[in-house]
Amino acid sequence: MPRRISALLNSLGLHAVLTTISFLFLLPFIVVIRNSFASYRELRDNPLFVPTNIDLGGYVRAWDRANIPIAGLNTILIAGTTVLMVLILGSMAAFAFSRLRFPGQSQVFLFFMVALMLPSATLMVPLFRLNLALGTHNTYLAVIGPYIALGLPLGILLFKFYFDTLPREFEDSARVDGASAFTIYRHIMLPLARPVLAAVAIFQFLTTWNEFVLAGLFLTKRHVYTLTVTAMIHRSSAFALIVIISLPVALFFLLTQRHFISGLTASALKA
């Protein structure tokens, strides 16, 4: 009986700690939602309490002035293209590192892993000059290229961890039947890597959707604004814009968190 009481107390204590931590993480978002429904006067006079009058003016101004449909479409196109390319290039590169042998293999893989430690801020000036030289400034390509390059190292790492421990018997049998390396990758390795595909896709989508620094630097014309850039430009309705931007991402993550966690767990266990 004392053991059961002790286990119950430990469980209650753990849940209390986790609940407190979760609340602290959610508190900024709760404050933003609260402020999005408050008028400017209430934000000034009563910033820490629930607003007495619900004011939807911030959402109306945000929708009318910030051109949300165009900015949302731009963000979806950029994020979708980035995710697709990271999945294709990352899985193909990881397959080559895991299953093929070629000169300089270890050095090339190390090069990608070193890129994981490279802050994106250090790339802003070279990328800005490159975009000007290529004429891609204020186009989707100005950010899609850097997003893919920055997302590839982690994608390659997760895919390689998973591919390394998959049984080789499947591909050996396929080679006996005359299958090429691409056929093995396409019809054997990719279907087995569905959990990692989901995890990489979700992580890359969330990262690209919320990115601001490179988008704010390379996309300076209204017709190519992303949602995060729009929120920065229209600061008078910033709280409402932040809620509009965050809600789709939050819902997306809640709907896909099972796949995200299972994918990361699969890669970690395989590693």
Side-chain angles (χ1 to χ4, degrees):
M1 195 68 173
R3 290 183 179 179
R4 290 184 179 180
I5 295 175
S6 176
L8 178 61
L9 292 176
N10 290 335
S11 178
L12 290 175
L14 177 61
H15 281 81
V17 171
L18 294 177
T19 301
T20 303
I21 294 174
S22 300
F23 176 76
L24 292 175
F25 275 100
L26 288 173
L27 184 59
F29 190 59
I30 294 172
V31 172
V32 169
I33 293 177
R34 180 264 178 205
N35 290 345
S36 70
F37 289 108
S39 64
Y40 175 78
R41 179 176 296 179
E42 283 195 308
L43 286 176
R44 182 190 62 191
D45 300 335
N46 196 20
L48 299 178
F49 298 95
V50 177
T52 55
N53 297 313
I54 301 299
D55 182 12
L56 298 178
Y59 289 91
V60 175
R61 290 191 300 273
W63 192 266
D64 289 341
R65 300 177 186 175
N67 204 9
I68 295 296
I70 298 300
L73 180 60
N74 291 337
T75 307
I76 291 172
L77 288 174
I78 291 170
T81 304
T82 302
V83 169
L84 180 62
M85 295 306 298
V86 168
L87 290 179
I88 294 174
L89 298 177
S91 60
M92 291 180 71
F95 174 75
F97 287 128
S98 176
R99 290 301 200 254
L100 305 180
R101 295 294 176 265
F102 53 89
Q105 182 176 13
S106 300
Q107 290 77 10
V108 176
F109 181 72
L110 180 62
F111 172 79
F112 277 104
M113 295 306 100
V114 169
L116 279 172
M117 300 177 285
L118 189 65
S120 60
T122 62
L123 302 175
M124 287 192 295
V125 174
L127 286 174
F128 185 79
R129 291 180 176 177
L130 181 63
N131 278 324
L132 290 179
L134 296 176
T136 55
H137 193 67
N138 282 319
T139 68
Y140 295 150
L141 291 177
V143 290
I144 289 176
Y147 288 166
I148 294 171
L150 292 171
L152 272 177
L154 181 60
I156 291 173
L157 185 66
L158 293 177
F159 277 117
K160 186 178 184 300
F161 278 163
Y162 194 84
F163 287 157
D164 278 347
T165 53
L166 289 177
R168 291 184 177 270
E169 287 78 7
F170 296 117
E171 59 187 283
D172 290 340
S173 300
R175 289 186 192 278
V176 170
D177 293 335
S180 64
F182 182 77
T183 301
I184 293 171
Y185 157 79
R186 171 65 182 86
H187 295 285
I188 297 177
M189 306 299 278
L190 272 188
L192 293 174
R194 286 177 183 173
V196 184
L197 281 167
V200 173
I202 294 166
F203 183 83
Q204 188 63 45
F205 178 81
L206 297 178
T207 301
T208 306
W209 184 280
N210 293 318
E211 203 282 327
F212 167 73
V213 176
L214 297 181
L217 182 64
F218 301 148
L219 305 177
T220 57
K221 291 187 177 180
R222 183 180 176 86
H223 70 280
V224 289
Y225 281 169
T226 61
L227 289 170
T228 53
V229 176
T230 299
M232 182 62 186
I233 298 298
H234 299 274
R235 283 175 283 186
S236 61
S237 53
F239 290 118
L241 279 169
I242 291 172
V243 174
I244 292 172
I245 295 170
S246 302
L247 279 180
V249 179
L251 292 174
F252 176 75
F253 180 74
L254 289 175
L255 293 173
T256 58
Q257 63 174 328
R258 180 171 61 86
H259 303 287
F260 181 71
I261 294 171
S262 64
L264 292 181
T265 302
S267 294
L269 290 177
K270 297 293 183 181

mmCIF file of all heavy atoms in Angstrom, residues 188-229:
data_model
loop_
_atom_site.group_PDB
_atom_site.id
_atom_site.type_symbol
_atom_site.label_atom_id
_atom_site.label_comp_id
_atom_site.label_asym_id
_atom_site.label_seq_id
_atom_site.Cartn_x
_atom_site.Cartn_y
_atom_site.Cartn_z
ATOM 1 N N ILE A 188 11.552 0.442 -52.441
ATOM 2 C CA ILE A 188 11.812 -0.303 -51.208
ATOM 3 C C ILE A 188 12.101 0.625 -50.032
ATOM 4 O O ILE A 188 11.429 0.574 -49.013
ATOM 5 C CB ILE A 188 12.986 -1.293 -51.403
ATOM 6 C CG1 ILE A 188 12.621 -2.340 -52.455
ATOM 7 C CG2 ILE A 188 13.344 -1.974 -50.086
ATOM 8 C CD1 ILE A 188 13.741 -3.316 -52.781
ATOM 9 N N MET A 189 13.093 1.510 -50.219
ATOM 10 C CA MET A 189 13.530 2.339 -49.105
ATOM 11 C C MET A 189 12.510 3.407 -48.722
ATOM 12 O O MET A 189 12.218 3.603 -47.545
ATOM 13 C CB MET A 189 14.875 2.991 -49.437
ATOM 14 C CG MET A 189 15.957 2.004 -49.845
ATOM 15 S SD MET A 189 16.346 0.810 -48.537
ATOM 16 C CE MET A 189 17.450 1.776 -47.534
ATOM 17 N N LEU A 190 11.979 4.110 -49.717
ATOM 18 C CA LEU A 190 11.028 5.180 -49.410
ATOM 19 C C LEU A 190 9.768 4.675 -48.707
ATOM 20 O O LEU A 190 9.333 5.265 -47.708
ATOM 21 C CB LEU A 190 10.653 5.947 -50.683
ATOM 22 C CG LEU A 190 11.546 7.128 -51.078
ATOM 23 C CD1 LEU A 190 10.927 7.881 -52.248
ATOM 24 C CD2 LEU A 190 11.778 8.063 -49.919
ATOM 25 N N PRO A 191 9.135 3.605 -49.190
ATOM 26 C CA PRO A 191 7.945 3.124 -48.461
ATOM 27 C C PRO A 191 8.247 2.725 -47.016
ATOM 28 O O PRO A 191 7.404 2.903 -46.138
ATOM 29 C CB PRO A 191 7.494 1.917 -49.290
ATOM 30 C CG PRO A 191 8.007 2.186 -50.664
ATOM 31 C CD PRO A 191 9.318 2.881 -50.469
ATOM 32 N N LEU A 192 9.441 2.188 -46.771
ATOM 33 C CA LEU A 192 9.803 1.808 -45.400
ATOM 34 C C LEU A 192 10.099 3.017 -44.527
ATOM 35 O O LEU A 192 10.058 2.925 -43.298
ATOM 36 C CB LEU A 192 11.030 0.889 -45.423
ATOM 37 C CG LEU A 192 10.828 -0.502 -46.039
ATOM 38 C CD1 LEU A 192 12.157 -1.242 -46.121
ATOM 39 C CD2 LEU A 192 9.823 -1.306 -45.221
ATOM 40 N N ALA A 193 10.389 4.155 -45.150
ATOM 41 C CA ALA A 193 10.785 5.353 -44.393
ATOM 42 C C ALA A 193 9.632 6.333 -44.200
ATOM 43 O O ALA A 193 9.866 7.514 -43.944
ATOM 44 C CB ALA A 193 11.937 6.046 -45.102
ATOM 45 N N ARG A 194 8.410 5.870 -44.282
ATOM 46 C CA ARG A 194 7.260 6.774 -44.145
ATOM 47 C C ARG A 194 7.243 7.556 -42.838
ATOM 48 O O ARG A 194 6.927 8.750 -42.833
ATOM 49 C CB ARG A 194 5.960 5.972 -44.297
ATOM 50 C CG ARG A 194 5.670 5.573 -45.729
ATOM 51 C CD ARG A 194 4.418 4.733 -45.822
ATOM 52 N NE ARG A 194 4.176 4.277 -47.188
ATOM 53 C CZ ARG A 194 3.239 3.417 -47.536
ATOM 54 N NH1 ARG A 194 2.431 2.909 -46.604
ATOM 55 N NH2 ARG A 194 3.092 3.059 -48.794
ATOM 56 N N PRO A 195 7.575 6.944 -41.682
ATOM 57 C CA PRO A 195 7.584 7.755 -40.438
ATOM 58 C C PRO A 195 8.569 8.915 -40.496
ATOM 59 O O PRO A 195 8.271 10.017 -40.037
ATOM 60 C CB PRO A 195 7.987 6.731 -39.364
ATOM 61 C CG PRO A 195 7.624 5.411 -39.930
ATOM 62 C CD PRO A 195 7.842 5.523 -41.402
ATOM 63 N N VAL A 196 9.752 8.685 -41.079
ATOM 64 C CA VAL A 196 10.750 9.753 -41.170
ATOM 65 C C VAL A 196 10.330 10.786 -42.212
ATOM 66 O O VAL A 196 10.559 11.986 -42.034
ATOM 67 C CB VAL A 196 12.131 9.167 -41.505
ATOM 68 C CG1 VAL A 196 13.191 10.256 -41.496
ATOM 69 C CG2 VAL A 196 12.497 8.079 -40.522
ATOM 70 N N LEU A 197 9.721 10.338 -43.292
ATOM 71 C CA LEU A 197 9.201 11.283 -44.279
ATOM 72 C C LEU A 197 8.216 12.251 -43.629
ATOM 73 O O LEU A 197 8.267 13.462 -43.874
ATOM 74 C CB LEU A 197 8.502 10.520 -45.411
ATOM 75 C CG LEU A 197 9.384 9.877 -46.479
ATOM 76 C CD1 LEU A 197 8.571 8.913 -47.330
ATOM 77 C CD2 LEU A 197 10.010 10.948 -47.373
ATOM 78 N N ALA A 198 7.331 11.716 -42.800
ATOM 79 C CA ALA A 198 6.352 12.562 -42.123
ATOM 80 C C ALA A 198 7.028 13.532 -41.165
ATOM 81 O O ALA A 198 6.690 14.718 -41.125
ATOM 82 C CB ALA A 198 5.343 11.690 -41.376
ATOM 83 N N ALA A 199 7.996 13.044 -40.395
ATOM 84 C CA ALA A 199 8.669 13.900 -39.413
ATOM 85 C C ALA A 199 9.428 15.031 -40.091
ATOM 86 O O ALA A 199 9.338 16.194 -39.680
ATOM 87 C CB ALA A 199 9.619 13.060 -38.553
ATOM 88 N N VAL A 200 10.180 14.717 -41.137
ATOM 89 C CA VAL A 200 10.950 15.734 -41.848
ATOM 90 C C VAL A 200 10.012 16.743 -42.510
ATOM 91 O O VAL A 200 10.258 17.959 -42.475
ATOM 92 C CB VAL A 200 11.879 15.085 -42.893
ATOM 93 C CG1 VAL A 200 12.557 16.152 -43.754
ATOM 94 C CG2 VAL A 200 12.926 14.225 -42.202
ATOM 95 N N ALA A 201 8.925 16.261 -43.106
ATOM 96 C CA ALA A 201 7.973 17.156 -43.771
ATOM 97 C C ALA A 201 7.340 18.118 -42.773
ATOM 98 O O ALA A 201 7.243 19.326 -43.033
ATOM 99 C CB ALA A 201 6.891 16.335 -44.475
ATOM 100 N N ILE A 202 6.928 17.605 -41.634
ATOM 101 C CA ILE A 202 6.277 18.455 -40.631
ATOM 102 C C ILE A 202 7.261 19.481 -40.086
ATOM 103 O O ILE A 202 6.946 20.678 -39.978
ATOM 104 C CB ILE A 202 5.703 17.589 -39.498
ATOM 105 C CG1 ILE A 202 4.573 16.714 -40.027
ATOM 106 C CG2 ILE A 202 5.193 18.461 -38.351
ATOM 107 C CD1 ILE A 202 4.166 15.594 -39.083
ATOM 108 N N PHE A 203 8.461 19.028 -39.732
ATOM 109 C CA PHE A 203 9.456 19.943 -39.170
ATOM 110 C C PHE A 203 9.818 21.030 -40.171
ATOM 111 O O PHE A 203 9.886 22.213 -39.817
ATOM 112 C CB PHE A 203 10.708 19.162 -38.767
ATOM 113 C CG PHE A 203 11.758 20.011 -38.112
ATOM 114 C CD1 PHE A 203 11.686 20.311 -36.759
ATOM 115 C CD2 PHE A 203 12.822 20.514 -38.848
ATOM 116 C CE1 PHE A 203 12.640 21.100 -36.159
ATOM 117 C CE2 PHE A 203 13.782 21.306 -38.261
ATOM 118 C CZ PHE A 203 13.691 21.600 -36.903
ATOM 119 N N GLN A 204 10.034 20.654 -41.429
ATOM 120 C CA GLN A 204 10.417 21.637 -42.433
ATOM 121 C C GLN A 204 9.280 22.601 -42.729
ATOM 122 O O GLN A 204 9.500 23.806 -42.925
ATOM 123 C CB GLN A 204 10.845 20.924 -43.721
ATOM 124 C CG GLN A 204 11.438 21.853 -44.775
ATOM 125 C CD GLN A 204 12.707 22.519 -44.295
ATOM 126 O OE1 GLN A 204 13.570 21.881 -43.715
ATOM 127 N NE2 GLN A 204 12.823 23.826 -44.523
ATOM 128 N N PHE A 205 8.055 22.114 -42.753
ATOM 129 C CA PHE A 205 6.909 22.987 -42.991
ATOM 130 C C PHE A 205 6.767 24.021 -41.881
ATOM 131 O O PHE A 205 6.580 25.220 -42.151
ATOM 132 C CB PHE A 205 5.629 22.157 -43.101
ATOM 133 C CG PHE A 205 4.390 22.995 -43.297
ATOM 134 C CD1 PHE A 205 4.065 23.477 -44.551
ATOM 135 C CD2 PHE A 205 3.564 23.307 -42.230
ATOM 136 C CE1 PHE A 205 2.932 24.263 -44.737
ATOM 137 C CE2 PHE A 205 2.436 24.097 -42.404
ATOM 138 C CZ PHE A 205 2.120 24.564 -43.661
ATOM 139 N N LEU A 206 6.853 23.585 -40.629
ATOM 140 C CA LEU A 206 6.725 24.519 -39.509
ATOM 141 C C LEU A 206 7.848 25.541 -39.518
ATOM 142 O O LEU A 206 7.628 26.733 -39.263
ATOM 143 C CB LEU A 206 6.728 23.746 -38.187
ATOM 144 C CG LEU A 206 5.563 22.773 -37.960
ATOM 145 C CD1 LEU A 206 5.729 22.042 -36.636
ATOM 146 C CD2 LEU A 206 4.234 23.512 -37.983
ATOM 147 N N THR A 207 9.066 25.090 -39.813
ATOM 148 C CA THR A 207 10.208 26.004 -39.835
ATOM 149 C C THR A 207 10.055 27.051 -40.937
ATOM 150 O O THR A 207 10.275 28.251 -40.710
ATOM 151 C CB THR A 207 11.512 25.214 -40.043
ATOM 152 O OG1 THR A 207 11.661 24.263 -38.994
ATOM 153 C CG2 THR A 207 12.714 26.149 -40.031
ATOM 154 N N THR A 208 9.670 26.612 -42.126
ATOM 155 C CA THR A 208 9.537 27.530 -43.253
ATOM 156 C C THR A 208 8.375 28.490 -43.059
ATOM 157 O O THR A 208 8.477 29.683 -43.355
ATOM 158 C CB THR A 208 9.346 26.732 -44.560
ATOM 159 O OG1 THR A 208 10.414 25.795 -44.700
ATOM 160 C CG2 THR A 208 9.334 27.660 -45.758
ATOM 161 N N TRP A 209 7.263 27.994 -42.554
ATOM 162 C CA TRP A 209 6.080 28.835 -42.342
ATOM 163 C C TRP A 209 6.386 29.978 -41.378
ATOM 164 O O TRP A 209 5.929 31.111 -41.579
ATOM 165 C CB TRP A 209 4.941 27.976 -41.793
ATOM 166 C CG TRP A 209 3.640 28.701 -41.607
ATOM 167 C CD1 TRP A 209 3.280 29.513 -40.573
ATOM 168 C CD2 TRP A 209 2.501 28.673 -42.489
ATOM 169 N NE1 TRP A 209 2.008 29.999 -40.742
ATOM 170 C CE2 TRP A 209 1.511 29.495 -41.917
ATOM 171 C CE3 TRP A 209 2.243 28.023 -43.692
ATOM 172 C CZ2 TRP A 209 0.270 29.682 -42.509
ATOM 173 C CZ3 TRP A 209 1.001 28.216 -44.283
ATOM 174 C CH2 TRP A 209 0.034 29.035 -43.693
ATOM 175 N N ASN A 210 7.164 29.717 -40.340
ATOM 176 C CA ASN A 210 7.420 30.713 -39.295
ATOM 177 C C ASN A 210 8.669 31.553 -39.541
ATOM 178 O O ASN A 210 8.965 32.454 -38.752
ATOM 179 C CB ASN A 210 7.561 30.018 -37.937
ATOM 180 C CG ASN A 210 6.258 29.393 -37.484
ATOM 181 O OD1 ASN A 210 5.195 29.985 -37.629
ATOM 182 N ND2 ASN A 210 6.338 28.202 -36.923
ATOM 183 N N GLU A 211 9.426 31.279 -40.610
ATOM 184 C CA GLU A 211 10.683 31.989 -40.829
ATOM 185 C C GLU A 211 10.434 33.449 -41.209
ATOM 186 O O GLU A 211 9.559 33.759 -42.006
ATOM 187 C CB GLU A 211 11.479 31.293 -41.939
ATOM 188 C CG GLU A 211 12.967 31.563 -41.889
ATOM 189 C CD GLU A 211 13.356 32.910 -42.421
ATOM 190 O OE1 GLU A 211 12.698 33.409 -43.368
ATOM 191 O OE2 GLU A 211 14.325 33.490 -41.897
ATOM 192 N N PHE A 212 11.240 34.347 -40.633
ATOM 193 C CA PHE A 212 11.055 35.769 -40.907
ATOM 194 C C PHE A 212 12.316 36.459 -41.408
ATOM 195 O O PHE A 212 12.255 37.311 -42.295
ATOM 196 C CB PHE A 212 10.572 36.485 -39.641
ATOM 197 C CG PHE A 212 10.660 37.981 -39.740
ATOM 198 C CD1 PHE A 212 9.778 38.686 -40.539
ATOM 199 C CD2 PHE A 212 11.651 38.682 -39.069
ATOM 200 C CE1 PHE A 212 9.871 40.066 -40.675
ATOM 201 C CE2 PHE A 212 11.750 40.052 -39.183
ATOM 202 C CZ PHE A 212 10.856 40.752 -39.993
ATOM 203 N N VAL A 213 13.483 36.099 -40.867
ATOM 204 C CA VAL A 213 14.703 36.871 -41.125
ATOM 205 C C VAL A 213 15.023 36.923 -42.621
ATOM 206 O O VAL A 213 15.168 38.007 -43.209
ATOM 207 C CB VAL A 213 15.892 36.292 -40.332
ATOM 208 C CG1 VAL A 213 17.174 37.041 -40.685
ATOM 209 C CG2 VAL A 213 15.627 36.377 -38.840
ATOM 210 N N LEU A 214 15.150 35.761 -43.262
ATOM 211 C CA LEU A 214 15.487 35.734 -44.683
ATOM 212 C C LEU A 214 14.346 36.276 -45.537
ATOM 213 O O LEU A 214 14.581 36.994 -46.522
ATOM 214 C CB LEU A 214 15.844 34.313 -45.115
ATOM 215 C CG LEU A 214 17.078 33.700 -44.454
ATOM 216 C CD1 LEU A 214 17.337 32.299 -45.003
ATOM 217 C CD2 LEU A 214 18.308 34.578 -44.671
ATOM 218 N N ALA A 215 13.111 35.951 -45.164
ATOM 219 C CA ALA A 215 11.960 36.463 -45.919
ATOM 220 C C ALA A 215 11.885 37.983 -45.831
ATOM 221 O O ALA A 215 11.605 38.667 -46.826
ATOM 222 C CB ALA A 215 10.673 35.835 -45.394
ATOM 223 N N GLY A 216 12.142 38.531 -44.644
ATOM 224 C CA GLY A 216 12.113 39.985 -44.496
ATOM 225 C C GLY A 216 13.224 40.688 -45.253
ATOM 226 O O GLY A 216 13.082 41.847 -45.647
ATOM 227 N N LEU A 217 14.328 39.993 -45.464
ATOM 228 C CA LEU A 217 15.465 40.586 -46.175
ATOM 229 C C LEU A 217 15.330 40.474 -47.685
ATOM 230 O O LEU A 217 15.685 41.405 -48.419
ATOM 231 C CB LEU A 217 16.760 39.896 -45.727
ATOM 232 C CG LEU A 217 18.066 40.420 -46.319
ATOM 233 C CD1 LEU A 217 18.314 41.866 -45.877
ATOM 234 C CD2 LEU A 217 19.233 39.526 -45.904
ATOM 235 N N PHE A 218 14.806 39.355 -48.186
ATOM 236 C CA PHE A 218 14.794 39.082 -49.624
ATOM 237 C C PHE A 218 13.453 39.378 -50.290
ATOM 238 O O PHE A 218 13.399 39.463 -51.518
ATOM 239 C CB PHE A 218 15.165 37.619 -49.889
ATOM 240 C CG PHE A 218 16.520 37.236 -49.367
ATOM 241 C CD1 PHE A 218 16.764 35.952 -48.921
ATOM 242 C CD2 PHE A 218 17.552 38.159 -49.305
ATOM 243 C CE1 PHE A 218 18.009 35.584 -48.438
ATOM 244 C CE2 PHE A 218 18.795 37.810 -48.821
ATOM 245 C CZ PHE A 218 19.033 36.523 -48.383
ATOM 246 N N LEU A 219 12.367 39.473 -49.520
ATOM 247 C CA LEU A 219 11.044 39.713 -50.098
ATOM 248 C C LEU A 219 10.544 41.063 -49.597
ATOM 249 O O LEU A 219 9.922 41.156 -48.539
ATOM 250 C CB LEU A 219 10.069 38.592 -49.697
ATOM 251 C CG LEU A 219 10.515 37.169 -50.037
ATOM 252 C CD1 LEU A 219 9.501 36.159 -49.524
ATOM 253 C CD2 LEU A 219 10.732 36.991 -51.542
ATOM 254 N N THR A 220 10.804 42.105 -50.362
ATOM 255 C CA THR A 220 10.515 43.466 -49.906
ATOM 256 C C THR A 220 9.399 44.133 -50.701
ATOM 257 O O THR A 220 9.130 45.319 -50.489
ATOM 258 C CB THR A 220 11.788 44.329 -49.996
ATOM 259 O OG1 THR A 220 12.285 44.302 -51.343
ATOM 260 C CG2 THR A 220 12.864 43.801 -49.060
ATOM 261 N N LYS A 221 8.763 43.408 -51.607
ATOM 262 C CA LYS A 221 7.638 43.957 -52.363
ATOM 263 C C LYS A 221 6.348 43.267 -51.947
ATOM 264 O O LYS A 221 6.337 42.071 -51.668
ATOM 265 C CB LYS A 221 7.868 43.808 -53.872
ATOM 266 C CG LYS A 221 8.994 44.698 -54.376
ATOM 267 C CD LYS A 221 9.096 44.672 -55.897
ATOM 268 C CE LYS A 221 10.184 45.625 -56.392
ATOM 269 N NZ LYS A 221 10.314 45.611 -57.874
ATOM 270 N N ARG A 222 5.270 44.027 -51.966
ATOM 271 C CA ARG A 222 4.000 43.567 -51.404
ATOM 272 C C ARG A 222 3.506 42.269 -52.036
ATOM 273 O O ARG A 222 2.964 41.409 -51.343
ATOM 274 C CB ARG A 222 2.950 44.675 -51.573
ATOM 275 C CG ARG A 222 1.591 44.360 -50.971
ATOM 276 C CD ARG A 222 0.638 45.514 -51.208
ATOM 277 N NE ARG A 222 -0.704 45.207 -50.733
ATOM 278 C CZ ARG A 222 -1.125 45.392 -49.507
ATOM 279 N NH1 ARG A 222 -0.294 45.874 -48.601
ATOM 280 N NH2 ARG A 222 -2.368 45.092 -49.160
ATOM 281 N N HIS A 223 3.710 42.099 -53.330
ATOM 282 C CA HIS A 223 3.127 40.942 -54.013
ATOM 283 C C HIS A 223 3.820 39.626 -53.649
ATOM 284 O O HIS A 223 3.291 38.550 -53.956
ATOM 285 C CB HIS A 223 3.154 41.137 -55.526
ATOM 286 C CG HIS A 223 4.525 41.086 -56.121
ATOM 287 N ND1 HIS A 223 5.391 42.156 -56.096
ATOM 288 C CD2 HIS A 223 5.195 40.087 -56.770
ATOM 289 C CE1 HIS A 223 6.522 41.825 -56.682
ATOM 290 N NE2 HIS A 223 6.439 40.582 -57.109
ATOM 291 N N VAL A 224 4.998 39.682 -53.000
ATOM 292 C CA VAL A 224 5.686 38.455 -52.597
ATOM 293 C C VAL A 224 5.821 38.338 -51.071
ATOM 294 O O VAL A 224 6.525 37.466 -50.584
ATOM 295 C CB VAL A 224 7.088 38.353 -53.248
ATOM 296 C CG1 VAL A 224 6.974 38.085 -54.726
ATOM 297 C CG2 VAL A 224 7.918 39.601 -52.966
ATOM 298 N N TYR A 225 5.148 39.202 -50.320
ATOM 299 C CA TYR A 225 5.211 39.107 -48.859
ATOM 300 C C TYR A 225 4.730 37.737 -48.387
ATOM 301 O O TYR A 225 3.754 37.192 -48.906
ATOM 302 C CB TYR A 225 4.315 40.163 -48.205
ATOM 303 C CG TYR A 225 4.891 41.559 -48.161
ATOM 304 C CD1 TYR A 225 4.090 42.639 -47.799
ATOM 305 C CD2 TYR A 225 6.228 41.809 -48.463
ATOM 306 C CE1 TYR A 225 4.593 43.929 -47.750
ATOM 307 C CE2 TYR A 225 6.735 43.099 -48.413
ATOM 308 C CZ TYR A 225 5.917 44.146 -48.065
ATOM 309 O OH TYR A 225 6.416 45.423 -48.016
ATOM 310 N N THR A 226 5.406 37.218 -47.384
ATOM 311 C CA THR A 226 4.879 36.054 -46.658
ATOM 312 C C THR A 226 4.096 36.557 -45.450
ATOM 313 O O THR A 226 4.085 37.755 -45.151
ATOM 314 C CB THR A 226 6.020 35.133 -46.203
ATOM 315 O OG1 THR A 226 6.885 35.871 -45.324
ATOM 316 C CG2 THR A 226 6.813 34.610 -47.382
ATOM 317 N N LEU A 227 3.463 35.645 -44.743
ATOM 318 C CA LEU A 227 2.647 36.044 -43.599
ATOM 319 C C LEU A 227 3.475 36.693 -42.501
ATOM 320 O O LEU A 227 3.034 37.657 -41.871
ATOM 321 C CB LEU A 227 1.898 34.822 -43.053
ATOM 322 C CG LEU A 227 0.764 34.303 -43.937
ATOM 323 C CD1 LEU A 227 0.253 32.960 -43.421
ATOM 324 C CD2 LEU A 227 -0.388 35.307 -43.998
ATOM 325 N N THR A 228 4.665 36.163 -42.249
ATOM 326 C CA THR A 228 5.488 36.749 -41.183
ATOM 327 C C THR A 228 5.958 38.154 -41.551
ATOM 328 O O THR A 228 6.011 39.039 -40.682
ATOM 329 C CB THR A 228 6.704 35.854 -40.904
ATOM 330 O OG1 THR A 228 7.402 35.601 -42.127
ATOM 331 C CG2 THR A 228 6.276 34.540 -40.283
ATOM 332 N N VAL A 229 6.294 38.375 -42.806
ATOM 333 C CA VAL A 229 6.692 39.718 -43.236
ATOM 334 C C VAL A 229 5.509 40.675 -43.138
ATOM 335 O O VAL A 229 5.647 41.826 -42.698
ATOM 336 C CB VAL A 229 7.238 39.678 -44.678
ATOM 337 C CG1 VAL A 229 7.557 41.084 -45.167
ATOM 338 C CG2 VAL A 229 8.480 38.808 -44.747
#
